[in-house]
Amino acid sequence: MTIANSLPMPGPDNTILVTGARAPVALHLARLLHGAGRWVILADSPAHPIAAASSACARYHRLPPPRFEPAAYAETVEALVRAEGVDLVIPTCEEVFYLALAWRERAIPARLFAPGIELLAQVHDKHAFIRLAESFGLAVPETTLLQSAADLDAVRGRSRELVFKPVWSRFASQVQLRPSPGALDAISPSPAAPWVAQRFVPGDEISAYAVARDGALKAFSLYRSLYRAGKGAGIYFEPVEDAAARHLVERIVAATGWSGQISFDLMREADGRVLPLECNPRAVSGLHFFRDPSRFADAMLGDGAEVKPDVAAPQTVRLAMCIYGLPAALRSGELSRFRRTIREADDLLDWPDDPAPKKAQWRALAEIAGTAWRERISLQAASTRDMEWNGPLQT
């Protein structure tokens, strides 16, 4: 399915394909690039992603689900790149892994704004990433790979000091935070589905978003999530600054020669030391703190200097706050705090002269809810079910 909007025709070397159109970050990136004069095409597997409704979207192409039909996905993306004369493909979500595989296996005539599959897989692996950061001389929390019942039993006695999570996971959906030894009976690590046991680090959790080219930072923002959807994904973001966090990200980006988008979950301890917890080689909500199209595009794609965040107000999606934040506030008795914080925040879907995505979020939500109902899974799980990437079996 292709949906076309009426926009000026593209100029040479300016046609960009942004994938993962279901995500607010894809919408935001499309708006920035379109505002800087690029011709932006969007693609994803849902029928009605929010970004498809944007005036920044020249056309929307529906793709096969990469998790379930990877060969058809790669073939369709290649055909789309050729048909549209795409110069650059920018992934925003976990489809980055499937695209990297396609670029490795096919002669696709466009640049992919992401590293190769081997580096992507290494940093996304919650154990391999910690070992990688440690090899760069960074302080890291003790992290143990669990691939068997024996591995699990070896750390069971210290379970109250540890955080347990699958090596390949998202949204903290399966995390066990300092569980009782008996609670670990629900975990069955294996070589095909490994877990990690990571030392619990007290402190302030902060998130980092970065764009890099050839190991140099081109955009960087830090934020903390005041409200979350369950235990995982943030839905209300407040900008922060931290020199130690920036230094950590700079070290990793430089040492890997990173080109693309990358994000980190970090923990700032009471003494100011910042430790890496995990890495996601994709866009995250820190992108919403950039609103200057020309400066961002020049930094990301051209010769411009590193761009700094130009938004100071907290960012949120009010619909998500009503679905997740309001019930949490009612349960905790913090309704007045909820009202105050939501008044202080910008709705990140708002954009001058582009109101359609805010209305389109209802249709997008209905599509996700339909998947959740059919598969008997949560809204969060349904939102990424067809693009999740769960490890090296797919490489």
Side-chain angles (χ1 to χ4, degrees), residues 61-205:
H61 293 267
R62 192 175 184 188
L63 304 173
R67 180 184 175 193
F68 303 120
E69 301 176 36
Y73 179 81
E75 181 178 349
T76 305
V77 169
E78 180 177 359
L80 170 57
V81 165
R82 294 182 183 277
E84 293 280 10
V86 171
D87 303 299
L88 179 68
V89 178
I90 306 180
T92 59
C93 304
E94 287 193 10
E95 83 280 358
V96 63
F97 297 101
Y98 299 96
L99 290 170
L101 286 169
W103 255 252
R104 186 179 71 178
E105 296 165 1
R106 294 169 174 265
I108 300 177
R111 290 171 292 125
L112 181 66
F113 195 63
I117 184 62
E118 292 79 9
L119 181 55
L120 288 169
Q122 184 178 24
V123 300
H124 195 47
D125 178 319
K126 290 180 175 61
H127 180 257
F129 166 65
I130 292 297
R131 299 284 79 84
L132 183 67
E134 188 176 41
S135 74
F136 299 151
L138 296 169
V140 299
E142 175 194 355
T143 304
T144 303
L145 182 64
L146 309 177
Q147 298 187 92
S148 66
D151 291 341
L152 187 61
D153 288 339
V155 298
R156 189 183 294 268
R158 297 190 295 120
S159 65
R160 292 294 193 183
E161 305 167 9
L162 302 172
V163 178
F164 295 81
K165 48 192 174 181
V167 161
W168 313 104
S169 58
R170 58 211 53 82
F171 301 141
S173 57
Q174 300 179 66
V175 167
Q176 294 217 20
L177 182 65
R178 295 192 289 182
S180 66
L184 295 178
D185 292 339
I187 297 175
S188 300
S190 68
W195 283 60
V196 294
Q198 189 170 77
R199 177 176 67 84
F200 173 76
V201 182
D204 297 323
E205 186 173 353

Side-chain angles (χ1 to χ4, degrees), residues 40-62:
V40 183
I41 299 163
L42 286 133
D44 205 344
S45 48
H48 306 292
I50 55 172
S54 173
S55 60
C57 174
R59 273 186 286 277
Y60 173 66
H61 293 267
R62 192 175 184 188

